Amino acid sequence: MVGKGTQEAAKGRGGAEQRRASVSGAPASDPAMIRNVALVGRSGAGKTMLTEALLMATGALTRLGSIEAGNTVSDSDPSEVHQQRSVALSVVPLTVGDLKVNLLDTPGYADFIGEMRAGLRAADAALFVVSAVDGVDTATTALWAECERIGMPRAVVISRVDHPRAGYDAVLAACRENFGAGVLPVYVPVRGGGAITGLLGLLTGTVSDASTPPARRPATEAELLDSDLARATLIEGIIAESEDETLLDRYLGGAEISLDTLTADLEIAVARGSLFPVLATSAETGVGLAELLELLTGAFPSPLERPLPPVTGLAGESVGPLPCDPAGPLVGEVVRTTLDSFLGRVCLVRLFSGTLREDSIVHIGGHGLADRGHQDHDSDERVTHLQSPLGATLRPVPFSVAGDICALTRLTDAETGDSVSDREHPLLVQAWEMPEPLMPVAVQGEAHSDEDALAKSLGKVAAVDPTLRVERNPETHQLVLWCMGEAHAEVVLDRLRAQGVHVQTVDVITPLRETFAAPVAARGRYVKQSGGHGQFGICDIEVEPLERGAGFEFVNRVVGGVVPGHYIESVEKGVRAQMARGVAAGFPVVDIRVTLVGGKAHSVDSSDAAFQSAGALALREAAAAGRIQLLEPVSAVTITVPDAYVGPVMTDLSTRRGHMTGTTSVAEERTNPGVDERTEINAEIPDAELLRYAIELRALTAGSGTFRRRYLRHEPVPAKVASAAVQA
């Protein structure tokens, strides 16, 4: 089947619908018959094409699509077609016998780690796809550690073994070195003519090939001899994880352990997350696809075997652990939301408990993301359209049970991360950890008339993307999108333009501030006589700098009533207004004390407005006579990198005017201690040097470095930097 599809592909492929076989979207009715598996790994590892090949192997497709043609089932977003890589989570269900396997194809590029974490939230196991050409990178190793922390069962697929530059043995060794000794092959490649033509099962002693239909044969003596060491290592690994304490003694005593016993113990260890099987695959030739399907259905756990995330009531009261029971209380979570011009919001929902039925009324609750611009909200909505997703295709279903993944359309208020529960007994699922967007992108409409459309469309885009934060900077008045990186920003801009918004990017302005560098005295004289009632206000002030963060003080030292008491407040208002406007480069003035020491008033022409103008003018005159110091925001930054990159990162910090304050070794419980140890570098860095740091740190550390930041204080800007900032 796979070979035929490959030949047809060479002649030209139609869209996904034209390639799709007639496969029912009938819902699963028993959580025990469901498997939810996230495909994770670096961009370009082959996750999307592996998904295509599995769809074809199970009869859901008649021929393979291609990334270049933009017609794969899981990559349907226009940005994915444009960038030729996955940028969003996609759900692709497979029917394997009586089982339903929901494959969650996740993006591998670092900018879309939020979508990857959403996939892990919806999954019960992770399938690491590692390219036999590109091998293991540090980002994949960090992702393995993240799955380890949450106790996610894992397996490894070494993909693209048909490639001329494939190096299966070297990549397997790298996987064991980086992921730990629990990573063990359960099949080894069989080669013919220099190419991998099939897999030898280490436990069964049989060889399967990628013929049509797939064929199995007993391994030859030479093949068994070559695989003897790998087989012994696998059996010892299984025995080490077995709950049968007599198994090791029997094995060491020379007893033959039955295949059924080894297989059962292997599946238990994999489902428990203590042993991680490895096999090789090729989406083009079909090698390993049958074995991978056996792994997905036989070794990975069902939703019944995985703990549910913590659940609370609306007021935060704890709710006891819920079972994955179709008859239990309804609890689900929106793991992804998209906007469709015809269907409105399309929400992918992972159901943890209960049964969701069409035409039922559910409670939609979102809490805990106010810092991302997603205010807490609660609403009741009717489920008018319940669907089973297959990539971008939605197939109507009457119900969806605990453990399954479904799609809801035409909801009004649902956002990614929201909980779905029964209207009569509303519950909230504890939110998963969202990555912090750290790259600012300033945007504006191409014309003034585009501003309203931009604001409206941004609200829609931000509602479906929890890794995007929209901010209207109160000091610079810029509209800033906080993104995960350049690729994420490009996707956001593409989605805005797809809604007809004419948007452009502009340079991000760092919100500087101004202060006085030394004491100075000045007079503000606002006198206008043009006939009739005039304006008269004169005030003498002294300005002196205060320590950083002290704010503003206004002191009245007028003697003899030269400035009437009811105008003293007017002078202060004028000074404060001018401070907000700035006195040198248009940035707010901070950390000064202004003392009113004298002035003059007129019995007829003086007024509140005149003394406000005089106060503002006095501050401007003081700035002209004195020396103004620009202040820039400085953030406390914590950078976490593998030890191998500590030196380059520290060197780079010195070029950013950064001041390092210390380092800390990050202690983590790892199954393979000593591999990829990490260090936290604490530093103080000006915000102007952090505008593109999310991208540059990734380049410095091969995608493995992360950082977090918090505002610390404002500090004086060096003279050469200040002149450039003022000119900008």
Side-chain angles (χ1 to χ4, degrees), residues 28 43 133-134 139 263 297 328 338 367-368 492 514 625 721 727:
S43 183
V133 179
D134 302 316
T263 301
T297 56
T338 56
H367 293 252
V492 172
E514 303 171 1
V721 179
Q727 292 173 5

Side-chain angles (χ1 to χ4, degrees), residues 262-300:
L262 291 173
T263 301
D265 283 346
L266 171 64
E267 293 178 353
I268 291 172
V270 172
R272 193 170 52 209
S274 56
L275 192 148
F276 316 103
V278 182
L279 52 83
T281 63
S282 166
E284 291 293 330
T285 66
V287 165
L289 296 182
E291 290 75 13
L292 178 55
L293 289 172
E294 290 178 3
L295 171 69
L296 295 176
T297 56
F300 276 160

Side-chain angles (χ1 to χ4, degrees), residues 439-443 479-483 485 489 493 505-506 508:
M439 192 190 84
V441 178
V443 296
L479 186 60
V480 179
L481 311 181
W482 287 89
C483 304
L493 293 174
T505 60
V506 294
V508 177

Side-chain angles (χ1 to χ4, degrees), residues 396-409:
V397 291
F399 65 89
S400 185
V401 300
D404 208 351
I405 299 172
C406 62
L408 306 181
T409 60

Side-chain angles (χ1 to χ4, degrees), residues 26-37 91-104 122-125 295-306 324-326 349-355 388 399-406:
S29 58
D30 184 356
M33 307 304 288
I34 299 173
R35 304 290 184 270
N36 297 308
V37 181
V91 178
V92 179
L94 308 175
T95 301
V96 186
D98 295 330
L99 295 179
K100 178 181 182 182
V101 180
N102 289 317
L103 290 183
L104 296 111
D124 300 305
L295 171 69
L296 295 176
T297 56
F300 276 160
S302 74
L304 296 172
E305 301 171 73
R306 296 288 297 158
C324 180
D325 183 1
V349 177
R350 163 68 197 263
L351 288 174
F352 296 110
S353 175
T355 299
S388 173
F399 65 89
S400 185
V401 300
D404 208 351
I405 299 172
C406 62

Side-chain angles (χ1 to χ4, degrees), residues 208-216 290:
S208 64
D209 58 30
S211 60
T212 306
R216 292 181 184 265

